[in-house]
Amino acid sequence: MQPVLPPSLSLAEFDRALKSFVKVVGDQWVLATDVDRETYLDAYALGDGHDHAPGAAVAPRSTEEVRAIVRLANEHMVPLWPVARGKNLGYGAAAPVMPGTVVLDLSRMNRILDVDAKFCHCVIEPGVGFFDLFNHLQDNKIPLWMSVPANAWGSVIGNAMDRGIGYTPYGDHTTKLCGLEVVLPTGELLRTGMGAMSGNKARLHYQFGFGPSWDQMFVQSNFGIVTQAGLWLMPEPEATARVRIELPEPEDIGWAIEALADLRRRDVIQHNIVLGNYLHNASVFSQRAEWYTGPGALPDSVSEQIMARYNMGWWSFALSLFGYDGAVRSHMDVVRRAIEPRLGKELQFEVWHRGDPIKRSAAGIPTVLPLQIVNWHGGRGGHVGFSPVMPPDGASALATFNRCKARFVEYGLDYYTSFTMGHRHISNVNMIIYNRDDADMVRRARSLFVRLVDDAAAAGFAEYRTHISFMQSVAESFNFNDHALLRLNERLKDMIDPSGILAPGKSGIWPKRHRRAQ
Amino acid sequence: MKRSLFLALTMLAGVLLAAANEQPAPVPTTGELLYARKCGICHAEGGTGTIMLGWRLGREQAVLAKRTDVAAEYVKAVVRSGLNSMPAITRVEVTDEELSAIADYLARDTDPGADPDE
């Protein structure tokens, strides 16, 4: 099979580049067979995924090898797509935006370089997964807790660099990074924050350094490759309490958002909360065919059956409290006063104390169970999420819910949604689940996604993160002053990456040499 | 959730049964260790891969490590190509050498002449 080549490169030129990579990492770690290319395709692609097919992959072991590969990529004008572990499932996984791009797979850079129990931080490489770090902390009895996302198969750094979240007080992952080591698109090595000073002993204690702080510039961007990062971890609390709450009616989302937003602003609740609809759980524990085999979206009558079988509400969410025992109990009372009168029943908290089995706590424990949702239709499943950021306003959330539900019905797709509540915002995660082998369903899923982008933009909202297929359209929805932000990003791109080799098209940012083609 | 509760109870019963019949544990092979580390996230008892296989093939066939009908070459093909909702695994995540060891471990009780469908 003919390899997919980057634009304007001949097969001979591409081969020469790969041979030069072999000299750096060895033959085993330049992956360019047909099977290799297939393994780097998006496993949940809307279609066969070949519209984002990589040309090859290369897997360096060290920062120095990354630098060498980047220099060679400049020399040979070969585009690179860095991935930490390539498990950004639902967002394109390891696949690049531009076909022919070479995946720079950092999985082999998987060292936990330091964990400091006193200061509660660690230094890790991008190949370290959530399971790796969790096991390290547990095996070594280090009393530090980490935050994990719903799908914890991926990389700790990779998730933070895509603004992923978890569900403990340390759940805004990007904000817990402290000091990045970055290889710039020309191969130069940089450390941010206090680490910009050689030998600085406070680089893991203060995030900003002196002068402009560039850490955010490397998040969701194509301005550098993070090869190491400091990360703050949470000291194990004395106690936690957690409770699961079911809201019976769709309209309950309105008052719940109002009540929870107030508790979040006051830091009574210190973690991101996911208010998921019934399908959020039903798609993990069952398959569609058990409920409905007819055409179109699941009818409301079937939804009622699902809720009845699992004894759950239209919305479900988990709340957790963390801290000293007295503070946790005090906050339990505050939560009760805010929720119970509207709910009409008593909340049943499960309280954990230090020394009890961790599984009964509200700690972040890695799991991949939520990936079950792609099995909803059977066969080769996939999902893609559309997640606009909104104010934590009940009326607005209810209006969004009604609009999106109608759209899912219009496109004949089952309505899976949740509202994730952050500290000062909510994200309305609309998960479109599809069978990749059903071409009509894939077409409808893609059309629905585009429609949701337009609807949200018309309502004044945009996404915080997106799949590689939609990065361009989401970036273009940020259109203030004739896309001033996108134009700034492009100017920066051309300065910092003059050869245009790093992740062309990432977050809608194209280097000059590929821009016209878009 | 009832389904997951059933699974959890089944797993617990299995653990208790194993404890009751306690015998010296066999030393894990490299393949077994690699399987636990690389595949166990999904394919240990109670994992998402195990649940999915249970739905498709029945509970008796759900735990890969207990199967007696998987051929080594089939394991290799599935790992590199993916199957249904299981993504393909790259040669960086599991090298060819590691995959051979894992495949041999999973196929240890399989009759080489069998015609596996999974």
Side-chain angles (χ1 to χ4, degrees):
Chain A
M1 192 192 297
Q2 195 79 337
V4 181
L5 297 172
S8 71
L9 237 62
S10 70
L11 182 58
E13 289 168 328
F14 190 60
D15 278 345
R16 270 199 294 278
L18 296 186
K19 285 195 174 81
S20 73
F21 293 164
V22 167
K23 288 180 183 160
V24 175
V25 297
D27 190 48
Q28 183 182 0
W29 305 112
V30 174
L31 300 100
T33 67
D34 290 342
V35 171
D36 287 328
R37 279 186 282 272
E38 293 280 327
T39 61
Y40 282 94
L41 292 177
D42 177 10
Y44 296 167
L46 282 153
D48 64 13
H50 284 97
D51 50 343
H52 295 287
V58 56
R61 178 72 171 167
S62 66
T63 299
E64 281 313 306
E65 288 188 0
V66 171
R67 297 180 71 188
I69 295 292
V70 167
R71 288 194 203 100
L72 288 166
N74 275 275
E75 185 182 324
H76 294 275
M77 302 299 275
V78 169
L80 300 173
W81 182 264
V83 298
R85 284 174 47 81
K87 303 298 183 190
N88 204 12
L89 295 164
Y91 297 98
V97 168
M98 187 174 77
T101 304
V102 173
V103 176
L104 185 69
D105 185 341
L106 304 178
S107 303
R108 296 177 66 221
M109 296 177 64
N110 57 0
R111 292 178 302 165
I112 298 171
L113 296 165
D114 183 32
V115 177
D116 190 311
K118 176 182 174 184
F119 292 119
C120 305
H121 58 224
C122 64
V123 180
I124 52 177
E125 292 186 323
V128 173
F130 287 96
F131 284 93
D132 301 325
L133 186 54
F134 180 82
N135 290 337
H136 180 87
L137 297 173
Q138 289 289 303
D139 293 348
N140 293 287
K141 298 185 171 27
I142 300 170
L144 298 177
W145 284 10
M146 50 191 286
S147 169
V148 302
N151 161 29
W153 200 1
S155 152
V156 177
I157 290 180
N159 183 271
M161 298 308 293
D162 209 27
R163 299 201 180 98
I165 64 162
Y167 313 101
T168 73
Y170 280 46
D172 291 329
H173 296 162
T174 310
T175 69
K176 296 297 174 267
L177 294 170
C178 186
L180 304 177
E181 180 182 89
V182 184
V183 175
L184 295 177
T186 49
E188 195 178 346
L189 188 64
L190 171 81
R191 282 190 174 174
T192 64
M194 303 307 283
M197 171 188 168
S198 293
N200 189 291
K201 293 176 180 170
R203 73 185 181 100
L204 300 170
H205 301 262
Y206 183 71
Q207 291 173 309
F208 305 112
F210 176 76
S213 178
W214 294 111
D215 298 64
Q216 277 294 313
M217 186 174 84
F218 299 108
V219 175
Q220 286 192 2
S221 82
N222 47 14
F223 298 146
I225 302 162
V226 175
T227 51
Q228 192 185 107
L231 180 76
W232 290 346
L233 298 167
M234 179 178 162
E236 182 186 58
E238 184 177 273
T240 69
R242 62 182 183 183
V243 60
R244 184 142 198 99
I245 299 171
E246 308 287 336
L247 305 177
E249 302 299 332
E251 294 75 20
D252 288 332
I253 195 69
W255 72 259
I257 294 270
E258 293 287 331
L260 295 172
D262 187 54
L263 294 171
R264 280 292 270 140
R265 281 190 292 267
R266 295 172 190 280
D267 283 335
V268 172
I269 298 170
Q270 300 170 299
H271 67 95
N272 299 312
I273 308 160
V274 178
L275 297 101
N277 77 338
Y278 65 90
L279 197 53
H280 205 268
N281 287 331
S283 58
V284 171
F285 295 121
S286 64
Q287 289 184 282
R288 189 177 198 268
E290 291 180 41
W291 306 102
Y292 183 66
T293 53
L298 278 180
D300 286 343
S301 57
V302 176
S303 310
E304 298 291 336
Q305 292 170 30
I306 294 175
M307 287 183 269
R309 157 104 71 98
Y310 293 125
N311 192 27
M312 62 187 179
W314 222 96
W315 305 97
S316 303
F317 62 100
L319 284 188
S320 302
L321 301 167
F322 304 79
Y324 289 101
D325 184 67
V328 167
R329 291 191 184 281
S330 167
H331 281 168
M332 283 165 62
D333 289 340
V334 177
V335 172
R336 285 187 196 284
R337 286 201 298 274
I339 303 285
E340 286 179 350
R342 296 301 303 259
L343 200 62
K345 60 181 175 184
E346 197 175 318
L347 299 180
Q348 303 294 324
F349 282 96
E350 181 182 21
V351 179
W352 169 92
H353 289 100
R354 189 179 293 153
D356 292 345
I358 192 169
K359 285 189 175 178
R360 283 168 42 195
S361 75
I365 300 175
T367 175
V368 294
L369 197 61
L371 288 179
Q372 281 280 93
I373 66 171
V374 297
N375 217 31
W376 176 241
H377 292 282
R380 290 194 313 149
H383 70 71
V384 62
F386 175 69
S387 312
V389 173
M390 302 166 53
D393 175 69
S396 171
L398 192 52
T400 301
F401 154 73
N402 283 318
R403 187 184 70 230
C404 290
K405 182 169 186 283
R407 284 295 187 210
F408 273 73
V409 171
E410 179 185 341
Y411 285 83
L413 293 161
D414 299 337
Y415 183 47
Y416 177 122
T417 194
S418 61
F419 288 92
T420 300
M421 174 163 291
H423 196 199
R424 295 282 180 143
H425 77 281
I426 50 176
S427 298
N428 176 215
V429 182
N430 295 279
M431 197 69 86
I432 306 171
I433 310 172
Y434 43 87
N435 175 0
R436 294 184 62 203
D437 293 320
D438 182 335
D440 178 59
M441 185 183 291
V442 168
R443 181 190 57 74
R444 283 182 284 124
R446 190 180 279 274
S447 301
L448 172 60
F449 192 100
V450 173
R451 176 54 67 95
L452 291 174
V453 174
D454 292 343
D455 284 350
F461 306 125
E463 275 204 296
Y464 82 100
R465 179 184 186 188
T466 204
H467 184 274
I468 52 173
S469 291
F470 303 105
M471 285 180 170
Q472 186 76 31
S473 59
V474 171
E476 286 173 359
S477 72
F478 287 77
N479 59 2
F480 172 74
N481 190 18
D482 189 24
H483 303 91
L485 181 64
L486 189 55
R487 286 186 282 115
L488 171 65
N489 286 335
E490 289 174 347
R491 283 207 297 278
L492 283 169
K493 181 67 178 168
D494 292 339
M495 281 188 284
I496 204 169
D497 184 8
S499 303
I501 56 104
L502 195 59
K506 170 88 174 181
S507 296
I509 306 165
W510 292 91
K512 189 181 286 181
R513 61 192 286 248
H514 298 300
R515 202 171 294 148
R516 195 165 294 167
Q518 307 310 314
Chain B
M1 284 184 204
K2 283 177 184 168
R3 198 169 189 169
S4 73
L5 181 64
F6 176 83
L7 272 168
L9 290 173
T10 308
M11 285 163 51
L12 182 63
V15 171
L16 293 175
L17 196 64
N21 298 319
E22 213 165 289
Q23 288 181 359
V27 178
T29 64
T30 304
E32 185 176 357
L33 289 171
L34 282 166
Y35 175 76
R37 202 169 84 222
K38 304 276 187 178
C39 317
I41 290 172
C42 293
H43 285 288
E45 296 202 39
T48 180
T50 302
I51 296 171
M52 289 180 182
L53 281 171
W55 287 352
R56 285 205 297 118
L57 304 173
R59 280 197 197 103
E60 320 71 49
Q61 304 282 39
V63 181
L64 273 182
K66 292 183 178 173
R67 294 270 290 272
T68 57
D69 62 345
V70 285
E73 288 308 309
Y74 185 74
V75 172
K76 291 178 190 176
V78 168
V79 166
R80 292 291 181 237
S81 307
L83 181 66
N84 290 325
S85 50
M86 172 182 161
I89 305 296
T90 71
R91 287 198 292 135
V92 176
E93 187 166 4
V94 178
T95 65
D96 286 339
E97 192 181 2
E98 290 171 333
L99 180 53
S100 287
I102 290 169
D104 288 346
Y105 164 67
L106 289 178
R108 68 196 182 286
D109 294 325
T110 296
D111 173 0
D115 181 22
D117 65 351
E118 190 52 42

